[in-house]
């Protein structure tokens, strides 16, 4: 019996299999080419869909995996991008582009230490790859405690290796508050030198005694640094007190007059002014002495529904390293009387821009209680601070207790979220 029909059948099967393989390869190649076109047109979601379909039938396709990692990174899905880049790095541990992509996924996803663990050895093995130097510097400056000295050293070396590139990743150091002739306002001292804008949303709750209804408030703060010692700021606040609601708009600025002298101007306006002042204006000067001493003197005038008050805020501050000590006596002229209030503050700065402040004040104050203008003995204790989670985000908080004469005791708490950019 002849074997020829069987041989023909076998050859036909092989030919069909080869045709199917070639067709599959052609389809995969077409899918990758289409995905690359989608990437170029910034349609990253469509590219991702094509690449996942290709990887479902060919999981080990390196080109598809690399394109998928890039598409996920462009979509800011950093955790998924890191997984894709990690798959590639496991198979190609010496590939500098893969290491760069993985480090970018970690850094942009808020994990600077993980980025450092990848980019540092990659830079050392690829010293001629400028992007690895750049990301290494950025990761060092993005740590919760930025490693500025190390980053500056790398930046200096990178500038020598790549003189045609721009290397301004490490901002100049802020002058120490104890440097003679330099005044850093409290508001500017908490600004990160890498950012000139900050915005914060805060919520407040005060619990009152003697059957008084609790107070509530929400506030939006905006801060913009124009230049060294030049800061403008503003706030919108909504307050609920004694079953009444008030809104306040506040704006101010710090402006240097010379190397030692800084002017602070501020204004506030409330359209309804049921439980807060109708308006107020402040002008004050602060003068820097040597050895970390700073003097403040100013005048604030506030108009209420039932009366008005003029305050002369005075203050002396001393900065010692990361500590700040302040004493503020304030005469208040109102209703034909002269009142006095005294405040003591101690602040501790840490991690460059984070801080915690303890305060105690005692004296007489004027305030508006519905349609009544009150003068009462007041004392208060307070703790407040701001903790930077990273270079972009911070949490602000406050706790306080105030005894408002015989009227009520007020225990307050506040929490805020701040974004720097």
């Amino acid at each position: 019996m002849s074997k020829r029909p069987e041989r023909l059948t076998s050859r036909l099967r092989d030919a069909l299999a080869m045709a199917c393989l070639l067709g599959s390869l052609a389809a995969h190649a077409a899918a990758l080419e289409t995905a690359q076109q989608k990437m170029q047109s910034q349609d990253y979601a469509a590219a991702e869909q094509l690449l996942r379909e290709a990887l479902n039938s060919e999981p080990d396709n390196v080109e598809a995996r690399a394109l998928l990692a890039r598409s996920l990174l462009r979509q800011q899905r950093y955790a998924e991008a890191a997984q894709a880049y990690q798959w590639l790095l496991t198979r190609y541990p010496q590939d500098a582009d893969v290491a760069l992509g993985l480090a970018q996924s970690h850094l942009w996803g808020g994990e600077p230490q993980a980025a450092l663990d990848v980019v540092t050895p990659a830079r050392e093995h690829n010293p001629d790859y400028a992007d690895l130097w750049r990301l290494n510097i950025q990761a060092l400056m993005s740590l919760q405690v930025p490693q500025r000295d190390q980053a500056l050293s790398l930046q200096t070396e990178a500038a020598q290796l790549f003189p045609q590139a721009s290397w301004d990743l490490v901002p100049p150091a802020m002058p120490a508050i104890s440097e003679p002739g330099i005044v850093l306002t409290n508001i500017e001292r908490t600004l990160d030198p890498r950012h000139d804008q900050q915005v914060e949303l805060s919520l407040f709750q005060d619990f009152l005694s003697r059957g008084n209804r609790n107070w509530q408030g929400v506030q939006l703060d905006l801060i913009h640094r124009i230049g060294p010692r030049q800061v403008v700021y503003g706030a919108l606040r909504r307050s609920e007190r004694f079953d009444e609601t008030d809104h306040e708009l506040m704006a101010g600025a710090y402006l240097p007059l010379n190397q030692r002298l800084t002017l602070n101007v501020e204004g506030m306006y409330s359209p309804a002014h049921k439980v807060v002042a109708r308006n107020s204006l402040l002008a004050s000067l602060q003068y820097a002495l040597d050895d970390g001493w700073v003097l403040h003197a100013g005048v604030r005038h506030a108009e209420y529904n039932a009366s008005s008050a003029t305050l002369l805020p005075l203050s002396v501050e001393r900065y010692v390293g990361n500590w700040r000590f302040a004493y503020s006596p304030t005469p208040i002229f109102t209703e034909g009387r002269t009142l006095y209030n005294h405040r003591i503050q101690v602040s501790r700065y840490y991690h460059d821009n984070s801080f915690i402040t303890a305060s105690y004040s005692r004296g007489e104050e004027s305030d508006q209680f519905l349609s009544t203008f009150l003068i009462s003995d007041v004392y208060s204790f307070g703790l407040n601070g701001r903790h930077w989670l990273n270079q972009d985000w911070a949490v602000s908080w406050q706790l306080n207790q105030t005894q408002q004469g015989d009227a009520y005791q007020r225990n307050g708490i506040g929490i805020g979220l701040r974004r720097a950019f």
Side-chain angles (χ1 to χ4, degrees):
M1 187 174 177
S2 175
K3 300 290 186 179
R4 187 171 181 179
E6 293 181 6
R7 287 198 299 270
L8 288 174
T9 302
S10 176
R11 290 176 182 174
L12 183 58
R13 283 199 302 267
D14 292 343
L16 288 173
M18 180 60 69
C20 290
L21 177 60
L22 292 174
S24 177
L25 292 175
H28 286 170
L32 292 181
E33 183 178 356
T34 304
Q36 288 176 331
Q37 293 172 354
K38 295 295 185 183
M39 293 283 290
Q40 292 173 358
S41 63
Q42 300 184 357
D43 190 354
Y44 303 121
E48 177 192 354
Q49 182 177 355
L50 290 169
L51 293 166
R52 290 195 183 279
E53 291 173 357
L55 287 169
N56 283 337
S57 56
E58 194 179 353
D60 292 331
N61 189 311
V62 174
E63 184 179 1
R65 187 76 61 177
L67 284 172
L68 177 63
R70 285 173 51 200
S71 73
L72 292 169
L73 190 63
R74 295 296 184 270
Q75 294 178 76
Q76 301 182 7
R77 290 157 60 184
Y78 301 122
E80 295 175 73
Q83 291 178 356
Y85 277 117
Q86 187 64 61
W87 185 95
L88 292 164
L89 192 65
T90 302
R91 288 156 178 78
Y92 302 94
Q94 302 304 320
D95 192 301
D97 289 324
V98 172
L100 177 64
L102 179 57
Q104 288 173 332
S105 301
H106 286 314
L107 179 60
W108 299 343
E111 298 179 328
Q113 185 58 58
L116 278 175
D117 294 341
V118 176
V119 74
T120 302
R123 175 188 56 80
E124 293 172 350
H125 286 97
N126 301 273
D128 58 345
Y129 198 163
D131 286 343
L132 290 173
W133 286 81
R134 191 176 303 279
L135 197 76
N136 201 160
I137 296 168
Q138 291 171 337
L140 287 168
M141 292 301 295
S142 298
L143 294 169
Q144 184 173 355
V145 181
Q147 300 300 303
R148 187 180 182 281
D149 292 342
Q150 187 178 351
L152 187 60
S153 177
L154 282 182
Q155 178 171 284
T156 302
E157 191 174 351
Q160 295 173 351
L161 290 172
F162 311 98
Q164 302 303 320
S166 175
W167 296 97
D168 55 355
L169 304 174
V170 182
M174 294 183 69
I177 191 66
S178 59
E179 182 178 343
I182 296 294
V183 179
L184 291 182
T185 64
N186 285 336
I187 198 169
E188 187 181 23
R189 187 177 173 90
T190 61
L191 283 171
D192 190 295
R194 291 161 292 191
H195 300 296
D196 288 328
Q197 288 79 225
Q198 293 186 11
V199 59
E200 178 172 327
L201 181 64
S202 305
L203 302 176
F204 305 94
Q205 179 77 47
D206 290 271
F207 303 93
L208 274 65
S209 64
R210 302 197 173 217
N212 293 295
R213 292 197 61 175
N214 297 334
W215 295 1
Q216 295 178 340
V218 58
Q219 181 165 318
L220 178 66
D221 289 278
L222 302 168
I223 302 172
H224 173 66
R225 177 168 47 209
I226 303 172
R229 296 168 52 214
Q230 300 179 62
V231 178
V232 294
Y233 59 94
L236 294 171
R237 183 180 178 105
R238 181 180 186 273
S239 302
E240 295 182 17
R241 303 180 186 178
F242 309 114
D243 295 324
E244 298 286 355
T245 300
D246 264 341
H247 296 84
E248 301 168 66
L249 172 64
M250 183 268 287
Y254 287 94
L255 303 169
L257 301 181
N258 57 40
Q259 188 179 17
R260 292 181 178 267
L261 193 62
T262 301
L263 171 67
N264 177 210
V265 292
E266 181 182 294
M268 185 278 286
Y269 171 72
S270 173
H273 47 83
K274 300 174 183 177
V275 291
V276 301
R278 177 187 298 114
N279 57 65
S280 71
L281 291 173
L282 164 72
S284 69
L285 294 171
Q286 56 185 37
Y287 187 79
L289 301 173
D290 294 339
D291 299 323
W293 290 94
V294 183
L295 303 178
H296 300 253
V299 57
R300 180 191 294 273
H301 183 77
E303 292 285 341
Y304 297 87
N305 286 336
S307 187
S308 63
T310 300
L311 296 76
L312 299 181
L314 308 172
S315 180
V316 56
E317 295 178 290
R318 177 73 193 280
Y319 290 85
V320 182
N322 290 323
W323 291 88
R324 169 183 172 265
F325 305 90
Y327 167 61
S328 305
T330 302
I332 304 170
F333 304 95
T334 183
E335 299 285 301
R337 297 176 54 182
T338 302
L339 315 176
Y340 294 93
N341 186 274
H342 303 267
R343 183 178 62 178
I344 298 172
Q345 289 181 308
V346 178
S347 301
R348 174 69 165 88
Y349 295 91
Y350 63 96
H351 294 172
D352 290 339
N353 305 307
S354 298
F355 69 91
I356 181 172
T357 296
S359 62
Y360 170 74
S361 64
R362 185 69 187 260
E364 295 176 294
E365 289 186 0
S366 57
D367 199 4
Q368 183 164 292
F369 185 90
L370 299 179
S371 59
T372 305
F373 190 73
L374 292 181
I375 297 175
S376 50
D377 293 323
V378 175
Y379 71 83
S380 67
F381 303 89
L383 283 174
N384 71 285
R386 182 175 302 123
H387 179 76
W388 284 94
L389 306 173
N390 53 47
Q391 67 175 6
D392 297 325
W393 292 95
V395 174
S396 302
W397 57 272
Q398 68 176 49
L399 300 169
N400 59 75
Q401 181 183 82
T402 301
Q403 181 66 48
Q404 194 80 26
D406 296 328
Y408 54 81
Q409 184 182 87
R410 176 163 50 89
N411 297 311
I413 184 172
I415 189 73
L417 184 63
R418 177 167 291 227
R419 175 74 162 90
F421 54 95

